Amino acid sequence: MEKQNPAIRVHGLRKSYQQLPVLEGVDFEVAAGSIFALLGSNGAGKTTTVRILATLLQPDDGTASVNGFDVVSQPAQVRESISLTGQFAAVDEILTGRENLVMIAKLRQVPNPRRVADDLLERFGLTDAAGRRVAAYSGGMRRRLDIAMSLIGDPPVIFLDEPTTGLDPEARIEVWQVVKNLATSGTTVLLTTQYLEEAEKLADRIAILHRGTIIVSGTLAELRKLLPSAKAEYVERQPTLEEIFLAIVGRDKTAESSQGGQR
């Protein structure tokens, strides 16, 4: 069987702001139809990576392609292939859920915008709230609507930049289910997160980004092999992703805090 090309390919990616290096040679690949988690603390370079892949920022060096298109030389084709959902839901609170979806469908010149809106409302469990103003939605409902809006036009690749920031545990679980469903339907998902449990629950593969470099990458099972199993009363226990992360990255936050906030 012929090997499928990765949906996202990043090699030697570098980016600095003035004299401050943010990315220092980032390398990873994301298989089509999979969920890939870019895990790291605030300031690790996660958002900078996503902004480069979304053609919102130019890299200083290295190469990156999305859906087979180079982010520097073919930005228009990349933009047609992706959707980006940021850390906060980009929805119009004055409009209803259906009106938000219809508006985006019209802007993207999608045929039958009302039918598209109704299909997405049903898919994301928002049909009963379709006629309500978004201002009355819960945090989880807003985020589900935001992700639904990003899927209009059926982009093969979606970037979710810390999609559960500020959500309560119940809303976070709602979003997790939505992300799982995206991958099941064939959408490639690149998820950035600082929540260890989120990466552990969702991702097919996890890359830990620390001080601008991918220091380890693999499946959860592969990462677990980096640490010995803990044994208590002769019962073997696999290390959690939190234990792996802390063992690899360490607890030293001094250098990171000096770099400022989220990049």
Side-chain angles (χ1 to χ4, degrees):
M1 176 181 282
E2 184 178 349
K3 185 179 179 181
Q4 189 174 14
N5 291 328
I8 301 170
R9 178 182 280 132
V10 175
H11 178 68
L13 210 59
R14 294 180 180 274
K15 182 66 181 178
S16 297
Y17 295 106
Q18 296 180 347
Q19 300 301 315
L20 181 64
V22 179
L23 302 179
E24 301 189 73
V26 171
D27 300 274
F28 64 84
E29 292 185 353
V30 181
S34 69
I35 301 175
F36 183 90
L38 196 57
L39 176 65
S41 306
N42 281 337
K46 302 186 303 297
T47 297
T48 296
T49 302
V50 169
R51 287 176 63 83
I52 290 173
L53 291 174
T55 74
L56 299 175
L57 196 63
Q58 288 273 338
D60 295 335
D61 197 10
T63 61
S65 64
V66 178
N67 199 34
F69 301 109
D70 185 89
V71 299
V72 174
S73 63
Q74 300 171 294
Q77 292 92 327
V78 171
R79 290 171 193 151
E80 291 175 356
S81 303
I82 68 168
S83 191
L84 169 63
T85 298
Q87 297 179 19
F88 303 99
V91 294
D92 190 323
E93 295 188 350
I94 297 176
L95 301 179
T96 66
R98 178 179 285 110
E99 288 170 342
N100 268 276
L101 290 164
V102 169
M103 175 183 66
I104 298 300
K106 288 181 177 179
L107 288 172
R108 295 185 179 175
Q109 300 181 335
V110 174
N112 300 314
R114 293 188 179 278
R115 181 184 300 173
V116 170
D118 286 341
D119 288 346
L120 286 168
L121 288 165
E122 182 177 359
R123 177 177 171 184
F124 285 83
L126 293 169
T127 301
D128 291 343
R132 287 161 46 192
R133 287 190 176 184
V134 174
Y137 281 20
S138 67
M141 292 169 68
R142 291 186 191 202
R143 179 53 81 185
R144 278 187 280 152
L145 177 63
D146 189 31
I147 296 174
M149 290 165 61
S150 72
L151 291 180
I152 292 174
D154 298 318
V157 179
I158 182 169
F159 300 118
L160 301 178
D161 190 15
E162 302 199 22
T164 62
T165 295
L167 297 184
D168 60 43
E170 183 177 0
R172 184 169 293 148
I173 292 171
E174 288 180 24
V175 174
W176 287 355
Q177 189 57 54
V178 167
V179 175
K180 289 178 181 177
N181 292 342
L182 288 177
T184 300
S185 67
T187 304
T188 302
V189 179
L190 190 152
L191 169 79
T192 74
T193 183
Q194 57 182 312
Y195 298 122
L196 298 159
E197 184 185 11
E198 188 158 271
E200 191 165 9
K201 293 284 187 183
L202 293 178
D204 298 304
R205 295 186 68 83
I206 301 162
I208 296 178
L209 182 63
H210 184 58
R211 297 179 185 173
T213 304
I214 301 290
I215 55 176
V216 68
S217 177
T219 65
L220 181 58
E222 289 169 346
L223 297 185
R224 279 178 168 154
K225 292 178 181 178
L226 300 175
L227 291 182
S229 301
K231 294 184 178 180
E233 297 180 357
Y234 304 103
V235 177
E236 184 176 279
R237 181 180 68 82
Q238 293 292 329
T240 66
L241 183 58
E242 180 176 9
E243 290 168 335
I244 297 166
F245 181 83
L246 291 174
I248 294 172
V249 172
R251 299 175 181 272
D252 179 16
K253 299 296 182 182
T254 304
E256 290 181 5
S257 62
S258 66
Q259 296 177 6
Q262 174 73 40
R263 296 174 187 153

